Every structure is written in C-alpha cells, then in structure tokens.
C-alpha cells in the first residue's frame, strides 16, 4: 500500500490498543490523517486521546460499527485508503458472563465494516485479531499462522468467526483484507479489568489480587507500542489474504506476573489470593512470529522488565484516569463476576 498521505479509518480507536496506535501513527507520519470511529462503550474513553484532540490530522466520529448506514456514510465521505479494525468487545470474563454482545460487535460489526470497504473500494482492510483464536497449548510448542483454530471462550470464538469471514471476503469478493493475531498486550490506557492494570490498581489500595486457579497459566506479553509497530508494518507491506502472528517473546505464568507487579510496587506477597478458576481457561499461549520477522522485518523492541516498570509507573502517575473508568459501569460487572462468584 502507498506510504504517503494515507487516509486511515481506525475503528475502536478510543480503546487501549487503538488509542496507542493512533498516537503512534500521528507521531510517525506527518502526512497521514486518521478518522477514529468508536461507539464509546464502557471500554472506550476519549481521555485516552486528549493529547491528539487538537491535531488537525485527527478526527473522532462516534458510531457503532454494527450500524451499516452510519458506517457506509463515514466510509463514503472519508474515502479512506485503509481501515484498521480494533473495535471489539475484548474481555474474556465478560464474554463468559454474557456472550451476546461479543457476537454482535465482533462478527456482525466486522462484516458491516468489510461491506463498506468493499463498496467503496478501500485499498486495505486490516483486522486486529488475537492469538486466542488458536486455543490452548500444552507445555511445549508455539502457534504459527497454520495452527488449527480452536477457540475456547465466547470471545475467542467471536474473533475466530470474524477471521473466517475475512477469509471469505478475500476469496469471494477480492477484498484486500489482512489479519494480525497478537498475544497479550500491556502498556498505558489499558482498561483496569485486564490482569496487569487490574492488579496494579488493587495493589495500590493494598487489596488482595484474585489469581485464577493455580496461577500457572501462561501468556506471552508484548508492549502495546511493539504491537503498533507491527500493525503499521503489516498495513504497509503485508499481503492481502494473509495472516501475520505478532508476539512479544515473553512467556510468563500469571503468578510470575503477579510477583513482578508486587515487587515493582513494593507490596507483600500476602496480597495474593488464589480463587476459583475461569471456566474454559486456556493454559498456555506462545507465538511463533517467524513470518512477520522474516517477511516484514518486524521484531519487538521493548525489554519486558523495563516495559512493565514503566507501565506500573504510568498507572501510579495517572490515578485519576483509572479511578474514573473504574467508578462507572465496571462496578456492576465486578460485583457479578468477582463478589457473587466467590472470586474475591
Ligand atoms: P478495548 O476493550 O480496550 O477497546 C475496544 C474499543 O472498541 C473501545 O474503544 C470500544 O468503545 C470500541 N467498541 C466496542 N464495540 C464497538 C462497536 N460496536 N462499535 C464501535 N466501537 C466499538 O480493547 P483493546 O484491548 O484495545 O483491543 C483492541 C483489539 O485488539 C480488539 O479487536 C482485540 O480483540 C484485539 N486484541 C487485543 C489484545 C489485548 O491484549 N488487549 C491482544 C490481541 C488482540
Ligand atoms: P486477561 O488480562 O483477562 O487476558 P486474556 O484472558 O485475554 O489472556 O487475563 C490474562 C491472564 O490473567 C489469564 O490467564 C487470566 C488471568 N487472570 C487472573 O488470574 N485473575 C484476574 O482477575 C484476571 C482478570 C485475569
């Protein structure tokens, strides 16, 4: 795809990864323009983008990606060169609690965006998927782009369905669509229901942290800026119809992560509570990122321990940000998922 004067439509840009990606793109490309289309669900927050609000290359439009009329108008009017779709319901526990919205936004919403791209001849459609579509690994091996898709949570199943639709739109209509499948992200502006910001904000208040099961589940962690660099590279150099895995090369058990956070915050290990497990909890994720490394020359740059220290510092320095998002709709989910289910 062309690299100059790109008009980008970012869906879901008010969330964690989308907002970091928009900030990254505007800093990296003087002549790019970004339209951010976001419904502003509980996870969408314009405060995440306060620093770019005044930038004339950036515009926000509030819309639901499932609304075909609204999306059709935005795409026809904006004539984007590319659409990058971050918009999704993203929290696995919420998908177990109530799957319906996940199917609507993550599947139907993606289809609506793809239809608008198709009708308006958009040159690239990049779907931000997840390694969770591959299911769970045992103690060895890694997910490659050819690994079978075996999603285990309603969230993962909805993301898998969208990936399959993307494939179908590429094969059937020739939509120039590409999929990235990234591992667990960490960094600033992550909604404090995901383990790292959730635990940091609990530890700050000397509250116990609920570790599911035996704490031995493994995730591969990547800094959100490394994810942004990978998405940029796939957008510019990726081949339509292909899938690219993105990983951090940092496999850690949840109890290791918890202890790292306790140490970074100077808090005692007595804050750890082992609580009943998440149903269907995937044991281990690990990414083989040979393809993106060799074909596009992309590799993660942020050293894990340093990234975690900086991330912890960011949450400690931005307490009003997380207090505001934790005070709203989040409280009823917290009560249902943790208190009523004996997980706290
Ligand atoms: P997030 O929950 O922080 O943000 C999601 C954003 O999408 C929010 O701004 C929300 O308002 C918006 N949104 C939700 N439903 C919408 C709708 N119907 N219409 C328009 N906007 C809507 O999520 P995130 O962690 O930033 O994840 C972004 C994407 O990356 C998702 O597609 C997710 O599946 C994928 N992903 C996330 C991770 C991770 O570790 N967080 C890892 C791999 C892939
Ligand atoms: P999460 O941040 O929800 O991301 P994902 O489920 O998409 O990987 O969870 C990361 C890991 O942390 C996962 O193995 C579940 C675990 N976890 C806990 O042990 N306790 C918690 O309260 C949460 C939210 C997650």
């Amino acid at each position: 795809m062309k690299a100059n004067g790109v008009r980008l439509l970012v869906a879901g840009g008010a969330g964690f990864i989308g907002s970091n990606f928009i900030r990254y793109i505007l800093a990296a490309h003087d002549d790019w323009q970004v339209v951010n289309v976001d419904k502003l669900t509980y996870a969408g927050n314009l405060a995440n983008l306060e620093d770019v609000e005044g930038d004339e290359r950036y515009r926000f439009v509030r819309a639901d990606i499932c609304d075909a009329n609204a999306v059709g108008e935005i795409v026809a009017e904006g004539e984007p060169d590319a659409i990058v779709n971050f918009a999704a319901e993203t929290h696995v526990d919420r998908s177990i609690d109530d799957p319906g919205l996940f199917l609507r936004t993550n599947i139907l919403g993606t289809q609506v965006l793809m239809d608008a791209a198709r009708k308006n001849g958009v040159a690239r459609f990049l779907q931000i998927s997840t390694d969770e579509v591959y299911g769970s690994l045992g103690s060895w091996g890694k997910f490659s782009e050819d690994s079978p898709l075996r999603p285990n949570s309603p969230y993962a199943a909805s993301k898998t369905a969208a990936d399959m639709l993307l494939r179908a739109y590429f094969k059937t209509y020739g939509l120039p669509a590409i999929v990235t499948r990234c591992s667990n992200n960490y960094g600033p502006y992550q909604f404090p229901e995901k383990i790292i910001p959730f635990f940091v904000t609990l530890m700050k208040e000397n509250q116990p942290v609920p570790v599911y099961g035996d704490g031995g589940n493994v995730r591969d962690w990547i800094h959100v800026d490394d994810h942004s660099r990978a998405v940029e590279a796939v957008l510019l150099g990726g081949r339509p119809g292909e899938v690219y895995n993105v990983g951090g090369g940092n496999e850690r058990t949840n109890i290791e992560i918890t202890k790292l956070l306790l140490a970074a915050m100077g808090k005692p290990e007595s804050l750890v509570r082992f609580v009943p497990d998440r149903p269907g909890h995937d044991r281990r994720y690990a990414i083989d990122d040979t393809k993106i490394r060799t074909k596009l020359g992309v590799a993660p740059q942020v050293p894990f321990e340093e990234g975690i220290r900086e991330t912890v510092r960011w949450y400690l320095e931005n307490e009003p940000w997380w207090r505001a998002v934790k005070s709203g709709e989040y409280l009823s989910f917290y009560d249902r998922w943790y208190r009523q289910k004996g997980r706290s």
Side-chain angles (χ1 to χ4, degrees):
M1 200 189 77
K2 71 171 189 174
N4 295 322
V6 173
R7 287 190 306 268
L8 204 58
L9 189 157
V10 174
F16 162 49
I17 306 175
S19 62
N20 279 288
F21 176 72
I22 289 175
R23 183 174 299 102
Y24 170 81
I25 285 294
L26 290 174
H29 302 276
D30 285 346
D31 62 346
W32 287 30
Q33 290 174 32
V34 176
V35 174
N36 173 14
V37 179
D38 198 296
K39 183 183 174 184
L40 299 183
T41 67
Y42 79 94
N45 185 355
L46 290 180
N48 299 359
L49 285 161
E50 254 171 8
D51 51 334
V52 303
E53 242 169 36
D55 192 319
E56 58 187 18
R57 297 168 301 153
Y58 168 76
R59 194 158 66 86
F60 171 70
V61 183
R62 187 171 191 177
D64 184 339
I65 57 163
C66 302
D67 181 341
N69 290 333
V71 169
E73 269 175 33
I74 294 164
V75 175
E77 210 177 89
E79 297 181 338
D81 300 300
I83 295 179
V84 184
N85 181 26
F86 293 93
E89 288 294 332
T90 61
H91 193 38
V92 172
D93 295 336
R94 285 180 189 259
S95 82
I96 297 167
D97 185 51
D98 186 6
L101 195 50
F102 284 72
L103 273 56
R104 183 178 178 274
T105 289
N106 300 1
I107 307 172
L108 181 65
T110 303
Q111 181 237 327
V112 166
L113 277 175
M114 286 195 297
D115 276 341
R118 191 161 67 87
K119 285 180 192 144
N120 290 280
V122 175
R124 276 291 176 285
F125 189 100
L126 182 46
Q127 172 70 0
I128 306 300
S129 186
T130 165
D131 61 353
E132 303 194 25
V133 299
Y134 297 120
S136 185
L137 292 165
S139 48
W140 58 274
K142 293 184 178 200
F143 298 130
S144 80
E145 288 81 358
D146 296 325
S147 297
L149 303 181
R150 291 179 174 142
N152 293 319
S153 70
Y155 162 69
S158 68
K159 295 294 290 188
T160 310
D163 287 10
M164 295 295 89
L165 264 180
L166 228 80
R167 178 189 158 85
Y169 270 57
F170 170 72
K171 294 276 183 191
T172 308
Y173 306 115
L175 182 76
I178 310 178
V179 177
T180 58
R181 295 188 182 136
C182 189
S183 59
N184 286 61
N185 285 219
Y186 70 94
Y189 300 104
Q190 187 167 30
F191 195 91
E193 64 188 354
K194 306 283 171 35
I195 188 170
I196 290 180
F198 182 41
F199 281 14
V200 169
T201 57
L202 287 173
M203 288 172 191
K204 174 74 176 64
E205 299 189 311
N206 297 311
Q207 285 187 41
V209 293
V211 176
Y212 296 157
D214 64 0
N217 300 64
V218 174
R219 297 291 181 266
D220 167 40
W221 292 96
I222 182 171
H223 192 278
V224 65
D225 289 343
D226 280 328
H227 189 186
S228 291
R229 277 185 273 275
V231 171
E232 176 194 35
V234 172
L235 193 58
L236 290 172
R239 280 183 46 172
E242 303 239 339
V243 174
Y244 294 85
N245 280 354
V246 182
N250 298 299
E251 284 181 50
R252 299 285 192 284
T253 62
N254 292 333
I255 193 66
E256 282 171 337
I257 292 289
T258 307
K259 288 184 178 169
L260 198 61
L261 297 177
L262 286 167
M265 304 220 10
K267 299 287 181 181
E269 292 194 6
S270 55
L271 287 181
V272 173
R273 288 282 181 288
F274 291 99
V275 301
D277 210 348
R278 166 190 282 175
H281 195 175
D282 286 337
R283 190 63 180 172
R284 178 173 162 257
Y285 301 147
I287 289 279
D288 176 351
D289 65 354
T290 309
K291 180 174 178 181
I292 194 167
R293 278 179 190 264
T294 54
K295 304 275 185 206
L296 300 179
V298 176
Q301 296 174 16
V302 181
F304 184 64
E305 272 73 15
E306 196 180 308
I308 287 286
R309 263 198 311 277
E310 272 174 21
T311 299
V312 168
R313 194 178 319 129
W314 188 88
Y315 287 96
L316 295 181
E317 285 171 359
N318 289 275
E319 203 170 319
W321 178 89
W322 57 261
R323 283 207 184 279
V325 294
K326 262 189 142 178
S327 66
E329 183 274 353
Y330 176 73
L331 289 178
S332 64
F333 169 73
Y334 181 84
D335 190 56
R336 224 170 36 247
W337 182 261
Y338 288 98
R339 292 228 170 84
Q340 292 178 24
K341 295 266 169 64
R343 293 192 179 97
S344 65

